[in-house]
Amino acid sequence: MLFRSSPLQDEEQLFRDPHLAERNFYSAVETVDTGVRSYQRPLWLMSKAQGTIRRGPVALGEDNEYLYKEVLHTPDELYDRLVARGDISDTPDPSLP
């Protein structure tokens, strides 16, 4: 029986691994809050469609307007009223722990 193994590596060692770098295992993505960070690409590679990372984690409420107006088709006046009331927000509720 043949067993194949690889070295046990921590996160920093994996990030600096030349084998993974050669295969573009990490993608650089820029966000407003954190600047440029590297994220692991999808583990699988397909011949006709390549998985990519288009953006990093979104900030709280960053996609509110798109989601409510484009996806849920909320009328502008209702969306504006919900924002004014605080039902839709991009800041955390200070009363919550």
Side-chain angles (χ1 to χ4, degrees):
M1 195 180 274
L2 176 65
F3 292 98
R4 298 187 188 270
S5 65
S6 63
L8 183 60
Q9 297 177 315
D10 64 22
E11 192 173 317
E12 183 178 348
Q13 290 168 321
L14 285 170
F15 186 73
R16 299 184 190 292
D17 187 310
H19 178 80
L20 295 177
E22 183 178 321
R23 284 157 181 74
N24 298 317
F25 193 71
Y26 296 100
S27 297
V29 178
E30 186 169 3
T31 65
V32 175
D33 295 338
T34 61
V36 177
R37 298 278 181 161
S38 291
Y39 294 92
Q40 178 181 316
R41 68 160 168 75
L43 295 175
W44 55 91
L45 295 175
M46 298 179 283
S47 60
K48 294 185 179 179
Q50 295 301 314
T52 60
I53 298 174
R54 292 183 295 272
R55 64 191 245 190
V58 296
L60 177 65
E62 183 177 340
D63 291 335
N64 282 351
E65 189 167 358
Y66 166 75
L67 186 69
Y68 279 91
K69 291 183 178 182
E70 302 297 323
V71 177
L72 298 175
H73 305 290
T74 303
D76 289 345
E77 55 278 354
L78 175 57
Y79 177 80
D80 294 340
R81 193 169 55 234
L82 292 170
V83 169
R85 244 179 27 189
D87 295 331
I88 299 173
S89 178
D90 59 1
T91 56
D93 184 341
S95 69
L96 299 175

